[in-house]
Amino acid sequence: MIDLTVIWACIIGFAIIAYVVMDGFDLGIGILFPFFKVGQERDTAMNSIAPVWDGNETWLVMGVGGLFAAFPLAYAIILPALYAPMIAMLLGLVLRGVAFEFRWRDPAHRAFWDGAFTAGSVIATFAQGIALGALLQGITVEGRSYAGGWWEWLSPFSLLTGVGLLVGYALLGACWLNWKTAGGLQRQAVTYAGRLGIGLLIMIGVISLATLRLETQYYHRWLSFPGVLATAQVPLATLIVTFLFYRSLRQKRDAQPFLWALALFGLCLTGLGVSIWPDVVPARVTIWEAAAPVRSQVFMLVGAAIMVPVILAYTAWSYWVFRGKVGTEGYH
Protein backbone atom coordinates (compact mmCIF):
# COMPACT_ATOMS: atom_id res chain seq x y z
CA MET A 1 0.00 0.00 0.00
CA ILE A 2 1.36 3.42 -0.99
CA ASP A 3 0.85 6.10 1.65
CA LEU A 4 2.68 9.20 2.84
CA THR A 5 5.17 7.12 4.83
CA VAL A 6 6.09 5.06 1.76
CA ILE A 7 6.44 8.26 -0.29
CA TRP A 8 8.84 9.69 2.28
CA ALA A 9 10.82 6.43 2.36
CA CYS A 10 11.14 6.71 -1.44
CA ILE A 11 12.26 10.37 -1.19
CA ILE A 12 14.98 9.51 1.31
CA GLY A 13 16.00 6.48 -0.75
CA PHE A 14 16.25 8.73 -3.81
CA ALA A 15 18.44 11.20 -1.87
CA ILE A 16 20.78 8.38 -0.80
CA ILE A 17 21.04 7.07 -4.39
CA ALA A 18 21.66 10.59 -5.71
CA TYR A 19 24.41 11.09 -3.12
CA VAL A 20 26.15 7.82 -4.05
CA VAL A 21 25.87 8.62 -7.76
CA MET A 22 27.17 12.20 -7.46
CA ASP A 23 29.59 12.18 -4.53
CA GLY A 24 30.94 8.64 -4.93
CA PHE A 25 33.14 9.46 -7.91
CA ASP A 26 34.70 12.60 -6.43
CA LEU A 27 35.47 10.77 -3.18
CA GLY A 28 36.95 8.03 -5.39
CA ILE A 29 39.29 10.53 -7.04
CA GLY A 30 40.53 11.51 -3.59
CA ILE A 31 41.16 7.83 -2.79
CA LEU A 32 43.15 7.37 -6.03
CA PHE A 33 44.97 10.72 -5.73
CA PRO A 34 48.34 9.34 -4.43
CA PHE A 35 48.60 7.14 -7.55
CA PHE A 36 48.68 10.17 -9.86
CA LYS A 37 51.90 12.03 -10.65
CA VAL A 38 52.48 15.33 -8.84
CA GLY A 39 51.74 18.21 -11.16
CA GLN A 40 49.59 17.99 -14.28
CA GLU A 41 47.97 14.62 -13.52
CA ARG A 42 46.81 15.66 -10.05
CA ASP A 43 45.71 19.10 -11.24
CA THR A 44 43.67 17.58 -14.07
CA ALA A 45 42.04 15.04 -11.76
CA MET A 46 41.14 17.84 -9.35
CA ASN A 47 39.79 20.03 -12.17
CA SER A 48 37.44 17.26 -13.29
CA ILE A 49 35.45 17.58 -10.05
CA ALA A 50 36.14 21.22 -9.05
CA PRO A 51 32.84 22.66 -10.40
CA VAL A 52 30.52 20.04 -8.88
CA TRP A 53 32.04 18.37 -5.80
CA ASP A 54 30.47 20.60 -3.14
CA GLY A 55 27.02 20.59 -4.78
CA ASN A 56 27.11 16.79 -4.83
CA GLU A 57 27.00 16.72 -1.04
CA THR A 58 23.61 18.47 -1.04
CA TRP A 59 21.97 15.06 -1.28
CA LEU A 60 23.68 13.84 1.90
CA VAL A 61 22.19 16.78 3.79
CA MET A 62 18.77 16.08 2.31
CA GLY A 63 18.92 12.36 3.14
CA VAL A 64 19.94 12.88 6.76
CA GLY A 65 17.61 15.85 7.22
CA GLY A 66 14.72 13.91 5.70
CA LEU A 67 15.36 10.97 8.02
CA PHE A 68 15.28 13.32 11.02
CA ALA A 69 12.04 15.01 9.92
CA ALA A 70 10.07 12.07 8.46
CA PHE A 71 11.27 9.23 10.70
CA PRO A 72 12.26 10.81 14.04
CA LEU A 73 12.20 7.50 15.94
CA ALA A 74 14.66 5.93 13.48
CA TYR A 75 16.88 9.02 13.71
CA ALA A 76 16.81 8.82 17.53
CA ILE A 77 17.88 5.15 17.42
CA ILE A 78 20.38 5.17 14.55
CA LEU A 79 22.33 8.32 15.40
CA PRO A 80 23.44 7.26 18.94
CA ALA A 81 24.40 3.85 17.53
CA LEU A 82 26.59 5.43 14.85
CA TYR A 83 27.99 8.52 16.58
CA ALA A 84 31.63 7.55 16.03
CA PRO A 85 31.50 6.74 12.28
CA MET A 86 29.20 9.72 11.63
CA ILE A 87 31.55 12.14 13.39
CA ALA A 88 34.52 10.60 11.53
CA MET A 89 32.65 11.01 8.23
CA LEU A 90 31.89 14.69 8.87
CA LEU A 91 35.49 15.42 9.94
CA GLY A 92 36.73 13.63 6.83
CA LEU A 93 34.46 15.70 4.58
CA VAL A 94 35.59 18.93 6.29
CA LEU A 95 39.29 17.99 5.98
CA ARG A 96 38.77 17.12 2.33
CA GLY A 97 36.95 20.38 1.57
CA VAL A 98 39.61 22.52 3.26
CA ALA A 99 42.40 20.65 1.45
CA PHE A 100 40.58 21.07 -1.87
CA GLU A 101 40.65 24.86 -1.61
CA PHE A 102 44.01 25.32 0.12
CA ARG A 103 46.08 23.20 -2.32
CA TRP A 104 45.40 25.83 -5.00
CA ARG A 105 46.01 28.86 -2.78
CA ASP A 106 48.99 27.54 -0.85
CA PRO A 107 51.35 25.95 -3.41
CA ALA A 108 54.26 25.95 -0.95
CA HIS A 109 52.48 23.26 1.10
CA ARG A 110 50.68 21.51 -1.75
CA ALA A 111 52.10 18.09 -0.81
CA PHE A 112 50.56 18.43 2.66
CA TRP A 113 47.17 19.46 1.26
CA ASP A 114 47.26 16.62 -1.28
CA GLY A 115 47.77 14.20 1.61
CA ALA A 116 44.92 15.83 3.53
CA PHE A 117 42.65 15.53 0.48
CA THR A 118 43.33 11.80 0.28
CA ALA A 119 43.03 11.29 4.05
CA GLY A 120 39.70 13.13 4.18
CA SER A 121 38.33 11.14 1.22
CA VAL A 122 39.41 7.79 2.69
CA ILE A 123 38.08 8.60 6.18
CA ALA A 124 34.70 9.83 4.87
CA THR A 125 34.24 6.82 2.59
CA PHE A 126 35.40 4.23 5.12
CA ALA A 127 33.11 5.73 7.77
CA GLN A 128 30.11 5.59 5.41
CA GLY A 129 30.83 1.93 4.67
CA ILE A 130 31.19 1.11 8.37
CA ALA A 131 27.89 2.87 9.14
CA LEU A 132 26.13 0.82 6.47
CA GLY A 133 27.63 -2.40 7.82
CA ALA A 134 26.71 -1.52 11.39
CA LEU A 135 23.12 -0.82 10.34
CA LEU A 136 22.87 -4.13 8.47
CA GLN A 137 24.35 -6.23 11.27
CA GLY A 138 21.67 -4.98 13.65
CA ILE A 139 21.28 -2.31 16.29
CA THR A 140 20.34 -3.15 19.86
CA VAL A 141 16.94 -1.61 20.58
CA GLU A 142 14.91 -1.74 23.79
CA GLY A 143 11.49 -0.12 23.67
CA ARG A 144 11.97 2.97 21.54
CA SER A 145 15.63 3.66 22.32
CA TYR A 146 19.11 2.54 21.37
CA ALA A 147 20.41 0.17 24.05
CA GLY A 148 23.84 -0.80 22.72
CA GLY A 149 27.31 0.37 23.66
CA TRP A 150 29.67 2.98 22.22
CA TRP A 151 31.62 0.40 20.16
CA GLU A 152 28.73 -1.76 18.93
CA TRP A 153 29.25 -0.46 15.38
CA LEU A 154 32.76 -1.94 15.24
CA SER A 155 32.86 -5.50 13.91
CA PRO A 156 34.64 -7.52 11.18
CA PHE A 157 31.52 -7.16 9.03
CA SER A 158 31.34 -3.36 9.34
CA LEU A 159 35.07 -3.10 8.54
CA LEU A 160 34.46 -5.32 5.51
CA THR A 161 31.71 -3.03 4.21
CA GLY A 162 34.02 -0.06 4.81
CA VAL A 163 36.69 -1.64 2.59
CA GLY A 164 34.04 -2.58 0.03
CA LEU A 165 32.88 1.03 -0.26
CA LEU A 166 36.49 2.24 -0.66
CA VAL A 167 36.89 -0.13 -3.62
CA GLY A 168 33.52 0.89 -5.09
CA TYR A 169 34.09 4.65 -4.87
CA ALA A 170 37.62 4.26 -6.25
CA LEU A 171 36.08 2.44 -9.24
CA LEU A 172 33.64 5.32 -9.81
CA GLY A 173 36.54 7.79 -9.58
CA ALA A 174 38.59 5.87 -12.16
CA CYS A 175 35.60 5.65 -14.53
CA TRP A 176 34.90 9.37 -14.12
CA LEU A 177 38.50 10.22 -15.06
CA ASN A 178 38.25 7.92 -18.08
CA TRP A 179 35.26 10.01 -19.16
CA LYS A 180 36.59 13.48 -18.36
CA THR A 181 40.30 13.26 -19.25
CA ALA A 182 42.50 12.33 -22.20
CA GLY A 183 46.00 11.04 -22.88
CA GLY A 184 48.11 9.32 -20.23
CA LEU A 185 45.78 10.05 -17.33
CA GLN A 186 42.84 8.50 -19.20
CA ARG A 187 44.85 5.36 -20.00
CA GLN A 188 45.88 5.12 -16.35
CA ALA A 189 42.24 5.49 -15.29
CA VAL A 190 41.22 2.65 -17.62
CA THR A 191 43.86 0.37 -16.06
CA TYR A 192 42.66 1.22 -12.53
CA ALA A 193 39.01 0.75 -13.54
CA GLY A 194 39.73 -2.76 -14.88
CA ARG A 195 41.44 -3.83 -11.64
CA LEU A 196 38.92 -2.16 -9.34
CA GLY A 197 36.00 -3.73 -11.22
CA ILE A 198 37.32 -7.18 -10.29
CA GLY A 199 37.88 -6.00 -6.73
CA LEU A 200 34.34 -4.68 -6.43
CA LEU A 201 32.85 -7.89 -7.80
CA ILE A 202 34.78 -9.89 -5.17
CA MET A 203 33.66 -7.51 -2.40
CA ILE A 204 30.02 -7.73 -3.53
CA GLY A 205 30.16 -11.53 -3.38
CA VAL A 206 31.87 -11.70 0.02
CA ILE A 207 29.64 -9.06 1.65
CA SER A 208 26.48 -10.62 0.19
CA LEU A 209 27.34 -14.06 1.61
CA ALA A 210 28.27 -12.56 4.98
CA THR A 211 25.00 -10.58 5.08
CA LEU A 212 22.94 -13.79 4.81
CA ARG A 213 24.39 -14.92 8.15
CA LEU A 214 23.52 -11.73 10.03
CA GLU A 215 19.74 -12.01 10.36
CA THR A 216 17.26 -14.84 9.69
CA GLN A 217 15.13 -12.28 7.85
CA TYR A 218 17.87 -11.70 5.27
CA TYR A 219 18.34 -15.44 4.65
CA HIS A 220 14.63 -16.05 4.06
CA ARG A 221 14.23 -12.97 1.89
CA TRP A 222 16.92 -14.15 -0.54
CA LEU A 223 16.77 -17.95 -0.46
CA SER A 224 13.23 -19.07 0.44
CA PHE A 225 11.13 -20.53 -2.37
CA PRO A 226 9.40 -19.10 -4.45
CA GLY A 227 10.95 -15.68 -3.59
CA VAL A 228 14.35 -16.95 -4.68
CA LEU A 229 13.09 -16.99 -8.29
CA ALA A 230 12.82 -13.18 -8.11
CA THR A 231 15.84 -12.40 -5.93
CA ALA A 232 18.13 -14.56 -8.09
CA GLN A 233 17.69 -11.95 -10.83
CA VAL A 234 19.82 -9.49 -8.83
CA PRO A 235 23.10 -11.50 -8.91
CA LEU A 236 22.33 -12.52 -12.49
CA ALA A 237 21.91 -8.87 -13.49
CA THR A 238 25.16 -8.07 -11.65
CA LEU A 239 27.08 -10.54 -13.82
CA ILE A 240 25.49 -9.15 -17.00
CA VAL A 241 26.29 -5.54 -16.04
CA THR A 242 29.86 -6.56 -15.19
CA PHE A 243 30.24 -8.08 -18.66
CA LEU A 244 28.89 -4.88 -20.26
CA PHE A 245 31.22 -2.80 -18.09
CA TYR A 246 34.33 -4.65 -19.26
CA ARG A 247 33.16 -4.69 -22.87
CA SER A 248 32.79 -0.89 -22.79
CA LEU A 249 36.31 -0.60 -21.35
CA ARG A 250 37.73 -2.79 -24.13
CA GLN A 251 35.87 -0.68 -26.73
CA LYS A 252 37.52 2.42 -25.20
CA ARG A 253 34.22 4.17 -24.54
CA ASP A 254 34.34 7.36 -22.47
CA ALA A 255 31.01 7.54 -20.64
CA GLN A 256 29.71 3.97 -20.77
CA PRO A 257 32.07 2.42 -18.14
CA PHE A 258 30.99 5.09 -15.64
CA LEU A 259 27.31 4.44 -16.33
CA TRP A 260 27.76 0.66 -15.99
CA ALA A 261 29.67 1.15 -12.73
CA LEU A 262 26.73 3.21 -11.47
CA ALA A 263 24.44 0.37 -12.53
CA LEU A 264 26.48 -1.98 -10.31
CA PHE A 265 25.92 0.38 -7.39
CA GLY A 266 22.22 0.48 -8.28
CA LEU A 267 22.03 -3.31 -8.08
CA CYS A 268 23.80 -3.26 -4.70
CA LEU A 269 21.23 -0.76 -3.40
CA THR A 270 18.46 -2.94 -4.86
CA GLY A 271 19.87 -5.89 -2.91
CA LEU A 272 19.96 -3.73 0.22
CA GLY A 273 16.29 -2.88 -0.32
CA VAL A 274 15.37 -6.55 -0.75
CA SER A 275 17.06 -7.36 2.57
CA ILE A 276 15.58 -4.64 4.77
CA TRP A 277 12.32 -3.34 3.26
CA PRO A 278 10.06 -2.11 4.87
CA ASP A 279 12.32 -1.61 7.90
CA VAL A 280 14.14 1.65 8.58
CA VAL A 281 16.14 0.07 11.41
CA PRO A 282 16.74 -3.39 9.86
CA ALA A 283 14.87 -6.22 11.61
CA ARG A 284 13.91 -3.84 14.45
CA VAL A 285 11.68 -0.91 13.39
CA THR A 286 9.49 -0.50 10.29
CA ILE A 287 9.00 2.77 8.44
CA TRP A 288 5.43 3.03 9.75
CA GLU A 289 6.52 2.53 13.38
CA ALA A 290 9.15 5.27 13.00
CA ALA A 291 7.09 7.75 10.96
CA ALA A 292 6.27 11.31 11.98
CA PRO A 293 2.58 12.35 12.31
CA VAL A 294 0.65 12.65 9.03
CA ARG A 295 0.29 16.45 9.32
CA SER A 296 4.07 16.80 9.65
CA GLN A 297 4.64 14.56 6.63
CA VAL A 298 2.20 16.60 4.54
CA PHE A 299 3.86 19.89 5.56
CA MET A 300 7.32 18.58 4.67
CA LEU A 301 6.11 17.05 1.44
CA VAL A 302 5.10 20.50 0.18
CA GLY A 303 8.65 21.73 0.80
CA ALA A 304 10.17 18.66 -0.84
CA ALA A 305 7.92 19.06 -3.89
CA ILE A 306 9.40 22.55 -4.37
CA MET A 307 13.03 21.98 -3.42
CA VAL A 308 13.79 18.61 -5.08
CA PRO A 309 13.04 19.89 -8.63
CA VAL A 310 15.06 23.06 -7.90
CA ILE A 311 18.07 21.00 -6.73
CA LEU A 312 17.77 18.67 -9.73
CA ALA A 313 17.57 21.66 -12.11
CA TYR A 314 20.67 23.50 -10.86
CA THR A 315 22.59 20.23 -10.59
CA ALA A 316 21.77 19.28 -14.19
CA TRP A 317 22.67 22.82 -15.32
CA SER A 318 26.06 22.74 -13.59
CA TYR A 319 26.96 19.38 -15.17
CA TRP A 320 25.85 20.68 -18.59
CA VAL A 321 27.89 23.90 -18.31
CA PHE A 322 31.06 22.00 -17.34
CA ARG A 323 30.58 19.09 -19.77
CA GLY A 324 33.43 17.73 -21.89
CA LYS A 325 37.07 16.91 -21.26
CA VAL A 326 39.13 18.90 -18.75
CA GLY A 327 42.76 20.06 -18.79
CA THR A 328 45.29 21.40 -16.31
CA GLU A 329 43.81 24.90 -16.30
CA GLY A 330 41.86 25.31 -13.06
CA TYR A 331 38.52 26.79 -12.10
CA HIS A 332 40.03 28.41 -9.00
Side-chain angles (χ1 to χ4, degrees):
M1 182 181 69
I2 298 178
D3 56 17
L4 274 175
T5 302
V6 173
I7 291 172
W8 265 106
C10 292
I11 291 173
I12 293 173
F14 174 77
I16 293 172
I17 292 171
Y19 174 75
V20 171
V21 168
M22 295 184 188
D23 207 32
F25 69 82
D26 64 55
L27 284 166
I29 288 174
I31 296 166
L32 293 173
F33 213 59
F35 300 99
F36 304 136
K37 292 179 182 175
V38 175
Q40 289 189 353
E41 285 194 358
R42 293 191 176 184
D43 290 348
T44 303
M46 194 70 93
N47 284 334
S48 73
I49 57 173
V52 295
W53 72 273
D54 43 0
N56 293 340
E57 293 173 0
T58 302
W59 297 104
L60 178 64
V61 176
M62 181 171 179
V64 176
L67 181 69
F68 171 71
F71 302 102
L73 177 60
Y75 189 88
I77 293 172
I78 293 173
L79 192 62
L82 302 178
Y83 269 143
M86 289 295 99
I87 291 171
M89 180 192 73
L90 293 175
L91 291 176
L93 291 175
V94 170
L95 177 62
R96 183 171 175 274
V98 171
F100 200 108
E101 302 296 335
F102 273 63
R103 76 177 299 276
W104 297 100
R105 301 295 180 185
D106 182 22
H109 302 95
R110 184 161 291 177
F112 171 79
W113 295 117
D114 283 357
F117 178 63
T118 296
S121 301
V122 170
I123 291 170
T125 302
F126 194 52
Q128 288 176 19
I130 285 179
L132 174 62
L135 195 62
L136 268 176
Q137 74 187 7
I139 292 175
T140 303
V141 178
E142 290 183 4
R144 295 169 60 87
S145 304
Y146 173 63
W150 174 256
W151 295 100
E152 188 177 89
W153 54 271
L154 183 60
S155 70
F157 179 77
S158 65
L159 295 175
L160 183 66
T161 53
V163 174
L165 199 62
L166 282 172
V167 175
Y169 280 0
L171 172 64
L172 291 179
C175 292
W176 177 259
L177 289 179
N178 171 52
W179 186 2
K180 298 293 288 185
T181 65
L185 183 56
Q186 184 183 26
R187 290 191 293 274
Q188 193 175 355
V190 170
T191 301
Y192 290 157
R195 296 171 182 171
L196 290 164
I198 295 173
L200 180 61
L201 198 62
I202 293 172
M203 294 305 298
I204 289 173
V206 172
I207 292 172
S208 298
L209 292 175
T211 301
L212 293 176
R213 300 170 60 88
L214 293 175
E215 295 280 352
T216 306
Q217 168 182 309
Y218 302 156
Y219 184 88
H220 288 297
R221 288 278 178 83
W222 282 95
L223 299 179
S224 294
F225 190 83
V228 68
L229 298 177
T231 56
Q233 306 310 311
V234 177
L236 179 61
T238 301
L239 292 177
I240 293 172
V241 169
T242 302
F243 168 76
L244 295 172
F245 167 74
Y246 277 102
R247 189 179 70 169
S248 64
L249 276 182
R250 285 197 305 273
Q251 293 176 341
K252 298 182 179 179
R253 306 289 186 183
D254 285 348
Q256 283 189 21
F258 180 70
L259 299 177
W260 288 124
L262 288 179
L264 285 174
F265 267 82
L267 287 167
C268 292
L269 292 170
T270 300
L272 178 64
V274 170
S275 297
I276 68 175
W277 178 262
D279 296 339
V280 64
V281 181
R284 306 290 188 274
V285 180
T286 69
I287 57 173
W288 294 283
E289 291 171 337
V294 172
R295 293 181 63 182
S296 299
Q297 292 185 41
V298 171
F299 177 76
M300 294 182 297
L301 193 61
V302 173
I306 297 171
M307 291 309 300
V308 170
V310 170
I311 297 171
L312 286 172
Y314 77 64
T315 300
W317 174 248
S318 64
Y319 276 85
W320 173 254
V321 168
F322 293 99
R323 65 190 182 278
K325 300 283 187 180
V326 297
T328 55
E329 66 282 1
Y331 295 109
H332 288 72

